[in-house]
């Protein structure tokens, strides 16, 4: 069919609503015509009709409609540029008589001018962004693929400037029409998200980020093309089936199909680049007060997630016990997809918050005393609401989260009154008891992990009445091993309180209880790593020159005696590896398995750098004796290596180091550590001329 007749047929088809099944055929015809029409006026006419066609816009399929048209312009200009490039390099096939060249014989500049002219006043300005964005994305994509487009550089610069101007005009339009999170705003977000990497910094500086930021936030978090204000969790519980003691979520259920639909949305599937675009907008807005509004929006969204999650039966299952209480389909197919969606929300929010704190560091308004603690508090609240997601990944699983979390804590630590108020606002609902609901325990874990960082700036009353009271239920709890992270967090909080300079009276009051709890939970509910850290901290708190040592000088020796006597009857079988040990199994030097006895020996050795010299002289031989009591060779060598490390690595001050050197060299320390298990030497098995053991040792020194 001749191009003119085909154009007339297509234009008639565009005047009425078309069933979705016919849309691919129409779009394919449009691409064919855009790459074959030779009359610029016809190209402009077709472009204008595509941007206004009732076939697409009377009942648009959300942002997918804009995405399809974006692909039309992208595909068309790609074909035209490839043809012109082949002509320049004499690779284009010869045309048959009467055959129209790609692009209708127009130059690239003329072809693009014709397309741009079709984005006229008959269509809304946000639709113009589709045509211009498709052109620029295609040119940028070809450049990324290595195509030399120096001959089209002037055309590219014109399209870049035109797109930025169209975006600004479209932003004004959607604001005036109240369509910021409607199809207009969603289309702007879609196109700019794909085209942003093709826009140079000189043109990016002209984008009106004050108008863009609310559009992006509304589209990503609250529109029906984004995360839908977290309400996609609302009807999920109705589709969960209880089968005995197990739960199932069928893949045929409407709620699962909704999650699949959300994950396939163009904006959600590209949420990573979109969140970086939002972060860039945060760093470039001129009105810093817009960030306060944005932080409120993020807090509102994040607060809705755990609220909705609590209404679902899955929230009543501890993450470590899911394999026991979930059916195969829910465990391996349906629920993992939901967690992918929730993690996408976590990652995008974290990247945006990183942009906020990056902006704060160079903005006098945001860094002021009236704003900085408020933003830090909002960020920590947002991270708390998302902690039921991030706790599955580990708090240090990605660097952006660590940066945001620690920066917010660092900022808030400079404002003790705000820090006190924040911790009291997120404190456990019932002090003195362990909640039964897993979500409440996760929130307790967040509180404990966060409160640990504020002990130095809180008052003694808050440290005792809030932090100690929150940690006490978990300190001596005898429950399952799956709750080990929260038990360790409680011990960390207690140690942080006891270590605070203003907590001498609190330490004297609670130390007996804590020591008893420490020994009662190790090794079942406390890892070897945490036990060693806890005991070393206690030695530092009780040994001189701490304030507590002046009134309780016998505490260090008492603590050492407790460990030593327990080690004499401690089990010698290897303990199960903790998370850190498992993580290091594939390293160059994985840690050896250790028994409870070996861990206690290491604990005593860790304490040596904190002991007064008289106590150090007494305990170095005892540590060596305990080392030699370990039967397993690998465990004994690991303890021996740590002993040597403490003596020579600089952990001791000069006075203690001098005492250690004297013990090692002149008081039999080397013989006791290196050869303490040898009762004698069988000279019959020595080579002729071999030196005695004692002489060999001295020669090494």
């Amino acid at each position: 069919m001749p191009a003119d007749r085909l154009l007339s047929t297509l234009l008639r088809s565009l005047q009425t609503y078309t069933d979705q099944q016919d849309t691919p055929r129409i779009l394919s015809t449009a691409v064919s015509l855009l790459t074959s029409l030779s009359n610029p006026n016809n190209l402009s006419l077709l472009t204008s009709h595509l941007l206004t066609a009732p076939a697409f816009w009377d009942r648009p399929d959300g942002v997918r409609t804009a995405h399809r048209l974006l692909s039309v312009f992208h595909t068309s200009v790609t074909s035209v540029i490839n043809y012109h490039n082949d002509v320049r390099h004499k690779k284009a096939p010869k045309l048959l008589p009467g055959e129209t060249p790609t692009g209708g014989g127009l130059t690239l500049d003329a072809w693009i001018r014709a397309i741009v002219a079709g984005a006229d006043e008959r269509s809304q300005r946000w639709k113009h962004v589709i045509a211009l964005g498709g052109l620029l994305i295609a040119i940028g994509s070809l450049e990324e693929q290595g195509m030399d487009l120096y001959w089209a550089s002037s055309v590219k610069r014109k399209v870049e400037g035109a797109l930025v101007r169209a975006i600004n005009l479209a932003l004004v339009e959607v604001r005036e029409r109240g369509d910021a999170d409607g199809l207009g705003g969603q289309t702007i977000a879609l196109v700019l998200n794909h085209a942003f990497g093709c826009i140079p910094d000189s043109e990016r500086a002209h984008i009106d980020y004050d108008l863009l930021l609310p559009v992006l936030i509304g589209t990503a978090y609250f529109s029906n093309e984004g995360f839908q204000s977290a309400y996609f969790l609302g009807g999920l519980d109705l589709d969960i089936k209880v089968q005995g003691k197990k739960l199932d979520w069928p893949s045929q259920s409407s709620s699962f199909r909704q999650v699949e639909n959300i994950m396939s949305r163009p904006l959600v599937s590209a949420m990573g680049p979109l969140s970086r675009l939002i972060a860039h907008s945060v760093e470039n807005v001129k009105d810093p007060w817009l960030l306060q509004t944005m932080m409120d929006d993020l807090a509102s969204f994040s607060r809705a997630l755990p609220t909705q999650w609590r209404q679902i039966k899955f929230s009543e299952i501890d993450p470590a016990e899911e394999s026991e209480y979930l059916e195969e389909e829910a465990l391996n197919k349906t629920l993992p997809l939901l967690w992918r969606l929730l993690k996408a929300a976590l990652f995008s929010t974290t990247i945006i918050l990183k942009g906020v704190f990056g902006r704060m560091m160079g903005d006098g308004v945001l860094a002021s005393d009236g704003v900085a603690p408020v933003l830090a508090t909002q960020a920590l609240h947002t991270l708390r609401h998302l902690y039921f997601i991030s706790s599955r990944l580990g708090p240090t699983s990605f660097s952006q989260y660590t940066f945001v979390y620690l920066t917010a804590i660092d900022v808030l630590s400079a404002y003790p009154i705000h820090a006190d108020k924040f911790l009291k606002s997120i404190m456990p609902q019932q002090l003195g008891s362990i909640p039964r609901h897993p979500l409440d325990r996760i929130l307790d874990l967040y509180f404990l992990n966060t409160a640990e960082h504020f002990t130095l700036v809180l008052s003694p009353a808050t440290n005792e009445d809030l932090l100690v009271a929150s940690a006490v239920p978990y300190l001596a709890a005898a429950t399952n091993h799956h709750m080990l992270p929260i038990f360790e967090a409680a011990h960390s909080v207690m140690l942080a309180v006891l270590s605070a300079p203003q907590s001498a009276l609190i330490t004297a009051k609670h130390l007996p209880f804590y020591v008893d709890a420490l020994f009662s939970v190790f090794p079942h509910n406390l890892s070897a790593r945490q036990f060693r850290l806890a005991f070393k901290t206690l030695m530092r708190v009780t040994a001189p020159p701490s304030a507590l040592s002046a009134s309780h000088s016998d505490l260090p020796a008492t603590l050492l005696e407790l460990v030593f006597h327990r080690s004499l009857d401690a089990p010698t079988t290897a303990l199960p590896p903790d998370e850190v040990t498992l993580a290091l199994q594939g390293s160059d030097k994985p840690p050896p398995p250790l028994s409870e006895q070996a861990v206690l020996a290491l604990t005593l050795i860790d304490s040596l750098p904190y002991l007064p010299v008289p106590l150090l002289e007494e305990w170095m031989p005892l540590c060596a004796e305990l080392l030699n009591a370990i039967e397993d060779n690998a465990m004994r060598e690991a303890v021996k290596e740590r002993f040597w490390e403490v003596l020579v690595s600089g952990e001791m001050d000069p006075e203690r180091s001098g005492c250690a050197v004297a013990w090692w060299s002149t008081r039999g320390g080397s013989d006791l550590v290196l050869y303490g298990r040898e009762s004698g030497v069988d000279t019959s098995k020595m080579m002729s001329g071999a030196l005695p053991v004692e002489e060999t040792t001295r020669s090494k020194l």
Side-chain angles (χ1 to χ4, degrees), residues 577-642:
D578 59 12
E579 294 181 358
V580 176
T581 304
L582 291 173
L584 295 175
Q585 288 296 334
S587 63
D588 296 335
K589 189 177 180 181
L594 297 173
S595 64
E596 182 179 341
Q597 183 187 47
V599 172
L600 293 172
L602 289 170
T603 302
L604 289 176
I605 294 172
D606 291 339
S607 305
L608 295 179
Y610 302 100
L611 301 182
V613 171
L615 207 57
L616 178 63
E617 293 177 339
E618 177 185 349
W619 277 96
M620 282 190 293
L622 293 174
C623 289
E625 291 178 11
L626 183 57
L627 181 158
N628 292 317
I630 300 174
E631 295 292 338
D632 186 272
N633 290 332
M635 295 181 188
R636 187 172 61 257
E637 288 302 317
V639 177
K640 187 183 298 184
E641 182 178 348
R642 175 57 183 156

Side-chain angles (χ1 to χ4, degrees), residues 63-64 181-182 186 189 215-232 258-259 261-271 274 301 341 344-345 348:
V63 78
R64 288 182 175 84
D181 57 351
Q186 295 163 10
V215 169
L216 295 179
I217 291 294
T219 296
Y221 286 93
F222 303 104
S223 75
N224 55 6
E225 293 293 340
F227 293 127
Q228 296 181 219
S229 303
Y231 291 142
F232 58 85
Q258 182 189 21
V259 172
N261 180 56
I262 294 174
M263 288 295 294
S264 65
R265 291 171 181 169
L267 288 171
V268 174
S269 60
M271 190 56 67
L274 181 58
F301 169 80
L341 178 58
S348 61

Side-chain angles (χ1 to χ4, degrees), residues 33 42 91 102 112 167 176 234 253 277 288 303 312 359-360 420 470-471 481 524 563 585 617 635-636 640:
L33 285 171
N42 286 340
K91 296 180 180 179
T102 303
I112 287 181
I167 288 173
E176 292 175 349
S253 62
L277 175 59
R303 186 167 49 248
I312 302 174
R359 172 68 181 270
M360 180 189 293
D420 184 279
S470 300
H481 188 70
H524 305 292
V563 175
Q585 288 296 334
E617 293 177 339
M635 295 181 188
R636 187 172 61 257
K640 187 183 298 184

Side-chain angles (χ1 to χ4, degrees), residues 484 487-488 491-492 495 514-539 559-560 562-564 566-567 570 575 578 595-604 606-607:
L484 183 60
F487 296 150
E488 292 191 347
H491 282 273
S492 295
L495 292 172
Y514 180 67
V515 171
D516 180 66
L518 187 64
F519 282 95
S520 66
V521 297
F522 173 74
H524 305 292
N525 290 329
L526 195 67
S527 67
R529 175 186 57 84
Q530 186 72 10
F531 178 82
R532 290 173 61 185
L533 174 63
F535 195 83
K536 184 166 65 173
T537 304
L538 291 180
M539 294 304 301
L559 294 174
L560 293 171
L562 288 172
V563 175
F564 184 79
R566 174 163 174 169
S567 66
L575 295 172
D578 59 12
S595 64
E596 182 179 341
Q597 183 187 47
V599 172
L600 293 172
L602 289 170
T603 302
L604 289 176
D606 291 339
S607 305

Side-chain angles (χ1 to χ4, degrees), residues 10 25-35 46 50 72 76:
L10 177 61
R25 178 180 57 81
I26 293 177
L27 294 178
S28 177
T29 304
V31 171
S32 176
L33 285 171
L34 287 173
T35 55
L46 177 56
L50 288 174
V72 167
S76 301

